[in-house]
Amino acid sequence: MPGGVTRNPDEVDISFSMGERFSLPLPFWGSAMDCVVDVDFAIAMGKLGGVAVLNLDGVHTRYEDSAPIIKKIAEADKATVNAVLKEAYREPVKPKLISERIKAIKAAGVPCAVSTVPARAEERAEVIQKAGADVFVVQGTVLTARHSSRSYHQLAFDALVRACEIPVVVGNCVQYDTALELMETGIAGILVGVGPGAACTTRGVLGVGVPQVTATADVAAARDEHMRRGGMRVAVITDGGMRIGADVCKAFASGADAVMIGTPLAGSEESASRGFNWGMATPDPNLPRGTRIQVGTKATLREILLGPARVDDGTQNFAGALRSALGVCGAHDIAEFQHVEMVIAPSIVTEGKVFQQAQHVGMGKS
């Protein structure tokens, strides 16, 4: 505790800012998963003070009406779900729908964040800005500032940042040197995490991943070094592997400025799938790195984010948990909370995988 002081949780500041152009009352981002974020969900989360990221490579930009597709995936049995996923994502993305989805979110008066794979970032930058998006997320399994390929053009993040008038967030990353290089390209935010998500099987398929607390601490250290060198503060956003309030609080104590969550929001009454979860890499036709899991419908989005909690297991009122953690540790805001002492006990295999183990899917089959 800073100076051995505790604080009134109602008087701490948990707001989030990213540069001078983007701020939120709550430091919570909804993960760019089709099962969670459609236009209606993005609007609902925006009205509560957070932001939900719409996946531009997902079914919501492939189909005029994506609800039947989401329902079909949710209702598929274990034996056929992978084939159903692949078939659903064969339909091409339609640029017209990208613009329409962004405009619909902005028409509700809430922030709009969108996500794309790196290969499509340059061609979509102008479209998404004209449509009114507030944040451009470029997301892959692992991203670096230096990528070698003879067969295709590689995205240059510094050029993308120069071409965008809105903040650019990139990820995912888990390592100090890589994060520092990415920050030096001028990005506004960086996503932290490789393979921790409840529906993600990257660690089982590729054997690549770092426990989230360690990864967050390393990337946060890169942020601090970048600032020491005269750079702007780059927002560190821990992405995935958080199920309960304790997980969320530990991410901030590890150095995060915000968290991106998927599975807890998939269990909200407002989620696109009403209780299912699958990741962005799940429908990959050649090497899927995710599985579909059933999380069930647990509560309203408001109860999950703001409470009041009806249960005592940490799955509701994340904002209240964070405020209380800051108060207990005597921190006035998240920046102060990032300096509390921690004892780290990582578990790389089981992190975030409870549903896979319980349902015997993905990494939980053996």
Side-chain angles (χ1 to χ4, degrees):
M1 303 178 195
V5 175
T6 58
R7 292 183 183 273
N8 182 344
D10 294 332
E11 297 175 1
V12 302
D13 180 7
I14 61 169
S15 63
F16 168 82
S17 62
M18 187 165 59
E20 299 178 354
R21 295 175 288 178
F22 188 76
S23 61
L24 298 167
L26 299 177
F28 302 140
W29 293 51
S31 183
M33 295 177 172
D34 290 347
C35 52
V36 177
V37 183
D38 57 10
V39 169
D40 290 340
F41 185 91
I43 292 171
M45 188 154 181
K47 288 183 176 180
L48 292 174
V51 65
V53 184
L54 184 71
N55 177 18
L56 298 185
D57 298 287
V59 296
H60 305 300
T61 55
R62 296 172 189 261
Y63 300 90
E64 288 281 355
D65 182 4
S66 56
I69 305 301
I70 295 290
K71 187 172 185 289
K72 185 176 182 180
I73 296 171
E75 292 179 348
D77 59 36
K78 290 182 182 180
T80 62
V81 66
N82 287 334
V84 171
L85 280 161
K86 290 180 182 180
E87 182 61 31
Y89 286 83
R90 283 198 178 100
E91 182 73 16
V93 170
K94 300 172 179 62
K96 173 179 72 79
L97 290 180
I98 291 178
S99 295
E100 288 180 2
R101 302 305 188 224
I102 294 171
K103 289 177 181 177
I105 294 170
K106 290 303 297 178
V110 301
C112 176
V114 294
S115 173
T116 184
V117 294
R120 298 287 181 265
E122 288 178 313
E123 69 186 63
R124 289 174 177 167
E126 183 176 0
V127 173
I128 67 113
Q129 289 182 93
K130 284 185 176 179
D134 298 294
V135 177
F136 192 18
V137 181
V138 182
Q139 193 167 7
T141 300
V142 178
L143 289 191
T144 64
R146 291 177 291 159
H147 179 78
S148 177
S149 175
R150 295 180 180 178
S151 61
Y152 54 83
H153 169 69
Q154 170 58 21
L155 172 65
F157 290 113
D158 52 355
L160 180 66
V161 169
R162 288 194 299 270
C164 290
E165 296 182 0
I166 61 176
V168 175
V169 175
V170 307
N172 285 50
C173 175
V174 293
Q175 198 256 354
Y176 175 91
D177 291 327
T178 303
L180 193 56
E181 279 195 86
L182 283 168
M183 291 174 185
E184 289 171 351
T185 67
I187 61 172
I190 187 166
L191 300 176
V192 179
V194 174
C200 184
T201 61
T202 293
R203 293 179 180 175
V205 176
L206 303 183
V208 176
V210 175
Q212 281 293 61
V213 166
T214 300
T216 301
D218 286 352
V219 175
R223 172 198 61 209
D224 296 343
E225 174 62 18
H226 180 63
M227 292 175 64
R228 189 189 68 79
R229 296 180 183 182
M232 71 173 188
R233 184 182 179 90
V234 176
V236 173
I237 305 167
T238 299
D239 174 19
M242 291 161 285
R243 299 178 297 108
I244 58 177
D247 300 333
V248 168
C249 294
K250 289 172 187 176
F252 286 102
S254 304
D257 298 297
V259 293
M260 179 177 278
I261 47 183
T263 296
L265 304 185
S268 72
E269 293 178 4
E270 293 87 347
S271 79
S273 68
R274 304 297 193 271
F276 287 83
N277 190 8
W278 59 89
M280 296 168 69
T282 303
D284 187 293
N286 298 312
L287 191 66
R289 295 180 303 285
T291 188
R292 185 207 60 182
I293 57 174
Q294 183 173 6
V295 302
T297 302
K298 307 291 181 61
T300 66
L301 183 59
R302 175 178 289 275
E303 287 172 328
I304 293 168
L305 295 181
L306 297 174
R310 293 182 286 105
V311 295
D312 59 3
D313 58 4
T315 59
Q316 296 175 16
N317 198 359
F318 286 178
L322 183 57
R323 287 183 179 278
S324 293
L326 263 67
V328 166
C329 294
H332 172 263
D333 55 22
I334 289 172
E336 282 191 8
F337 189 58
Q338 292 167 347
H339 294 286
V340 299
E341 293 185 10
M342 298 185 69
V343 176
I344 301 173
S347 179
I348 190 169
V349 175
T350 60
E351 184 182 27
K353 311 302 179 187
V354 173
F355 288 104
Q356 292 187 42
Q357 294 165 345
Q359 296 169 33
H360 303 292
V361 296
M363 292 170 63
K365 290 177 181 176
S366 56

